[in-house]
Amino acid sequence: MKLWASTLRLAGRSLRRNPLRSALTSLGVIVGVAAVIAMVSVGQGARARLQEQLASVGSNIVMVFPGATSSSGSRAGWGTAAPLTVADARAVERHVPGLRGVSYFRRGVVQVQGGGQSWSTTLWGVPESFSRVRDWPVRLGAFLLRSQDDAGAKVVVLGATVAEKLFGVGQDPVGAEIRVKDVPFRVIGVLEGKGQTVWGRDQDDAVFIPFTTAERKVLGAKRIGNVDMIRLGLVSSEDEAMVVDELTQLFRQRRRVQPEEDDDFAIRTMSEMSRAAEGSAEDMSNLLLAIASISLVVGGIGIMNVLLVAVSERTREIGIRMAVGARRRHILMQFLCEAVVLSGVGGVVGVVLGIVVSILISRLSDWPTLISPTAIVGACLFSGAVGVFFGYYPARKASRLDPIDALHHE
Amino acid sequence: MVESPHVVRAANLERVYGQGDVAVHALQGVDLLVESGEYIAIMGPSGCGKSTLLNVLGCLDRPTCGTYELDGRDVSRLDPDERATVRNETLGFVFQDFHLLARTTAVENVELPLIYGPVAPDQQRRRALAALARVGLAGREAHTPRELSGGQQQRVAIARALVTEPALLLADEPTGNLDSETSSEILALLDELHQKGLTILLVTHDAEVGARAQRLIRMRDGRVVEDTGAAPA
């Protein structure tokens, strides 16, 4: 395979003859490949983080909201439909099988003071089932009890962030007193850290008090028993469709929705929400990939441009080669080889650069990145293909030269 | 294939460039027979068609009509790749301005036809070195054209033409770019090669060069007007 070896050597030599030009030409491909790899890593990292966050919300969860998405697609405002109530939650508990718990909450932003610090956070009024439904264990102390909810006790469980802000890292605040909206509460527990939600909110920046206490003593209520949302934990995800059906029937009946009317409540399942979130994450990755691919194509055009210049500069050389017996195929291969070497070297350097950039992104910003072997292999193959595709036209042009004209070219 | 005594057997060669009113008839019916071992010079004023004839005989160009047998094979209707193979295996070229690859060593220049041909890769270097030795350039194989004199460059070109052991060596003004002393060295080399049996056909407008040949063909307006030693047909 002397012809192959010498063709490759020749390509290397003619590229080294113009190192700056070769480097600049490869740069297009380098940037393209690096961009593809970095973008895919960012996209993959974002997806991995998303999955983690979705898992942190708890699996097998179904949520019921007041207000509805009509069949025409427009969403009625929160205020237009009657709110859900604690009684609705109790009815779900009684009538819907296959649940491991029913929870509900009311939420509000409050100022809390304790440990000599003051902090603004989200207050959740929740029943004792909350921790079970959310699959959210306690790190210190205990979660709220049914009896405390019934009695409207002034006890509080702190989210990890709040515990840290008020009492400092590694301190045990159980038994301490804090003031919530100037009402004194006794700390009975601290939850494990859960991290950010899919929407970037810190879930641990929260305090939890019994639902009854919240509506009566802290948040106030237009009508006792109104809740923001009802949240159910399923025993098994296989029951999801059945539970959704049951819930729909139950709520239509309880809220006296006429058969021809749309629901005035909405039921969302966690699997549905993760599908939506994953779908948009996937769209995002594809978009990034498409943008990065454009730079690869631009790099390919650069290769084509440089090869066209090379063909016209080296017309005489082509003529000499033809005169001594090079066939069209030989000339074609020679220039294609140069294109592939240019794009191949660009591809390899681009992979390295892409990995470096991915690592830098995750170090310097808080973006997680996940370097994908598929993207590396894909980018290399694609850059080779770019070389062949954009090298073909100039190479063919060279191979179709007339030997006599080529020999006499100045 | 039956061994033919004629290296070249061309009849009624015509070459027309362009079409209609602007057509140029560069060759208007050239007959040529060349026997193995002949040394022929073609002479004539500029535009007489001698370069066109050389291109056609060298399979760089195709005759518009007429027949051309080279080394016993009809080559007048070959496609570009087939002509490339004929040039590679049967012909050797020497040009006025050497046409060596710049920044490429002498031995690599001589090897060039071999990498496109049937010679086994492990034989190529050896044959290239042997060809350089034949033209008196042993020891210069690692020099690039820039490091060689004009005469030496033309010797490299001749070695490149010889390395495939062609049936016919075609030379286009091989001394046109050389001073008289170097010219005579090159011509002496051609004489020597001829004496060893090489068939040579060269094109020149230098009468002195033409005088070295065994047979002289004069052309004018695309026709042969004089042939000192036409072999009996």
Side-chain angles (χ1 to χ4, degrees):
Chain A
M1 291 273 81
K2 177 129 181 173
L3 186 58
W4 270 105
S6 65
T7 307
L8 211 77
R9 197 149 34 92
L10 190 73
R13 193 162 60 191
S14 68
L15 295 176
R16 275 199 303 279
R17 202 165 286 171
N18 253 313
L20 182 63
R21 189 162 83 187
S22 304
L24 288 175
T25 309
S26 289
L27 193 62
V29 176
I30 292 173
V31 169
V33 169
V36 166
I37 288 176
M39 291 299 101
V40 171
S41 320
V42 167
Q44 296 278 329
R47 268 174 80 175
R49 178 190 263 190
L50 184 73
Q51 271 160 358
E52 216 173 88
Q53 288 166 340
L54 287 170
S56 81
V57 176
S59 49
N60 298 342
I61 280 181
V62 177
M63 286 162 281
V64 186
F65 310 88
T69 310
S70 73
S71 54
S72 62
S74 64
R75 194 176 197 286
W78 281 89
T80 56
L84 298 173
T85 64
V86 175
D88 289 330
R90 297 272 177 262
V92 171
E93 251 168 3
R94 277 196 306 279
H95 296 294
V96 181
L99 302 181
R100 67 190 150 78
V102 177
S103 169
Y104 47 87
F105 62 80
R106 281 200 56 206
R107 235 176 359 187
V109 174
V110 296
Q111 198 70 25
V112 294
Q113 283 118 14
Q117 304 290 321
S118 180
W119 184 250
S120 171
T121 187
T122 310
L123 174 121
W124 297 64
V126 296
E128 89 294 344
S129 57
F130 178 86
S131 145
R132 180 162 26 101
V133 172
R134 281 294 311 271
D135 211 357
W136 198 345
V138 174
R139 189 172 70 204
L140 294 168
F143 199 70
L144 307 168
L145 299 173
R146 181 73 177 260
S147 57
Q148 290 165 332
D149 193 12
D150 292 344
K154 286 187 255 179
V155 290
V156 63
V157 174
L158 304 182
T161 304
V162 175
E164 193 179 299
K165 291 291 175 191
L166 295 186
F167 296 98
V169 183
Q171 301 296 310
D172 180 357
V174 173
E177 186 168 280
I178 67 166
R179 297 176 84 80
V180 177
K181 264 193 161 177
D182 282 334
V183 180
F185 276 74
R186 188 165 52 84
V187 177
I188 59 164
V190 178
L191 293 174
E192 289 283 0
K194 247 199 195 285
Q196 289 188 352
T197 64
V198 177
W199 299 276
R201 191 171 49 78
D202 179 8
Q203 299 181 79
D204 300 320
D205 186 4
V207 295
F208 302 87
I209 63 172
F211 182 82
T212 326
T213 320
E215 67 176 359
R216 301 219 168 120
K217 292 173 183 150
V218 182
L219 297 174
K222 277 189 208 146
R223 248 186 60 203
I224 291 297
N226 285 358
V227 302
D228 291 351
M229 184 204 284
I230 294 174
R231 202 191 307 244
L232 323 171
L234 304 186
V235 174
S236 154
S237 58
E238 285 164 23
D239 298 336
E240 191 180 282
M242 184 271 288
V243 169
V244 169
D245 273 355
E246 294 272 344
L247 286 173
T248 311
Q249 277 182 35
L250 180 70
F251 278 94
R252 286 184 74 91
Q253 190 191 331
R254 285 181 65 80
R255 295 164 74 85
R256 297 198 176 76
V257 180
Q258 296 303 305
E260 69 279 5
E261 283 177 351
D262 290 325
D263 297 346
D264 66 348
F265 56 93
I267 299 170
R268 293 278 175 271
T269 66
M270 222 31 235
S271 54
E272 185 181 290
M273 292 178 74
S274 26
R275 269 199 302 278
E278 289 230 10
S280 56
E282 174 128 13
D283 288 349
M284 190 66 186
S285 317
N286 288 342
L287 185 72
L288 290 175
L289 185 65
I291 292 169
S293 306
I294 289 172
S295 48
L296 252 183
V297 170
V298 172
I301 294 170
I303 288 182
M304 176 140 97
N305 185 24
V306 160
L307 278 187
L308 282 171
V309 171
V311 167
S312 69
E313 273 179 354
R314 283 155 56 193
T315 302
R316 245 167 68 116
E317 177 196 321
I318 296 165
I320 294 169
R321 288 176 180 278
M322 287 177 157
V324 303
R327 299 190 201 181
R328 288 176 297 194
R329 175 167 61 88
H330 295 135
I331 303 295
L332 185 83
M333 288 310 295
Q334 182 185 336
F335 283 91
L336 261 190
C337 210
E338 279 186 32
V340 173
V341 166
L342 273 176
S343 63
V345 168
V348 170
V349 177
V351 165
V352 174
L353 187 68
I355 291 173
V356 169
V357 168
S358 303
I359 292 170
L360 281 181
I361 288 175
S362 57
R363 287 265 170 87
L364 297 183
S365 72
D366 200 26
W367 266 107
T369 58
L370 199 70
I371 292 158
S372 146
T374 322
I376 290 176
V377 173
C380 284
L381 289 180
F382 191 56
S383 68
V386 160
V388 173
F389 183 82
F390 288 100
Y392 187 76
Y393 173 70
R396 191 185 137 89
K397 197 175 148 170
S399 74
R400 297 286 151 142
L401 285 173
D402 178 71
I404 300 169
D405 293 344
L407 276 174
H408 295 136
H409 190 267
E410 288 310 316
Chain B
M1 197 187 292
V2 182
E3 191 66 33
S4 159
H6 294 117
V7 175
V8 172
R9 184 194 281 272
N12 196 29
L13 287 181
E14 290 187 24
R15 181 67 175 97
V16 182
Y17 296 107
Q19 283 184 326
D21 293 345
V22 293
V24 176
H25 295 262
L27 293 181
Q28 311 193 32
V30 171
D31 299 319
L32 183 64
L33 287 171
V34 178
E35 282 181 23
S36 183
E38 277 195 283
Y39 183 178
I40 302 172
I42 300 176
M43 295 191 67
S46 307
C48 70
K50 58 188 195 297
S51 292
T52 306
L53 180 60
L54 193 76
N55 288 339
V56 169
L57 294 177
C59 287
L60 288 165
D61 199 359
R62 212 156 68 161
T64 310
C65 62
T67 59
Y68 173 26
E69 269 179 39
L70 175 66
D71 208 19
R73 180 184 178 198
D74 183 1
V75 295
S76 40
R77 295 289 172 265
L78 299 181
D79 72 22
D81 279 350
E82 290 167 331
R83 288 206 301 273
T85 306
V86 170
R87 289 197 296 272
N88 184 252
E89 294 175 2
T90 318
L91 296 167
F93 287 94
V94 177
F95 300 97
Q96 179 173 1
D97 39 12
F98 322 138
H99 281 326
L100 298 177
L101 296 185
R103 286 169 283 204
T104 305
T105 61
V107 69
E108 282 174 329
N109 263 296
V110 176
E111 259 181 333
L112 194 62
L114 298 179
I115 65 173
Y116 299 121
V119 175
D122 55 345
Q123 297 293 307
Q124 294 179 359
R125 183 55 54 104
R126 192 181 58 74
R127 284 183 62 162
L129 290 172
L132 276 175
R134 261 174 97 183
V135 299
L137 283 181
R140 303 273 175 172
E141 56 270 0
H143 290 57
T144 61
R146 214 168 12 162
E147 297 161 349
L148 296 168
S149 71
Q152 287 170 328
Q153 287 184 51
Q154 194 59 301
R155 282 166 189 270
V156 173
I158 292 170
R160 182 180 64 192
L162 294 177
V163 75
T164 55
E165 287 160 16
L168 176 64
L169 181 81
L170 297 168
D172 187 1
E173 303 277 11
T175 58
N177 277 7
L178 301 173
D179 60 44
S180 57
E181 196 182 328
T182 333
S183 289
S184 54
E185 278 174 37
I186 293 295
L187 291 173
L189 174 62
L190 291 177
D191 283 348
E192 185 194 325
L193 293 168
H194 168 234
Q195 267 148 33
K196 287 177 182 163
L198 185 68
T199 314
I200 301 172
L201 192 151
L202 68 76
V203 161
T204 184
H205 55 245
D206 183 339
E208 233 177 280
V209 175
R212 303 287 285 253
Q214 192 190 41
R215 174 180 165 193
L216 186 66
I217 294 172
R218 284 189 195 281
M219 288 185 70
R220 176 160 300 153
D221 301 329
R223 288 193 175 86
V224 173
V225 292
E226 184 192 346
D227 189 342
T228 61

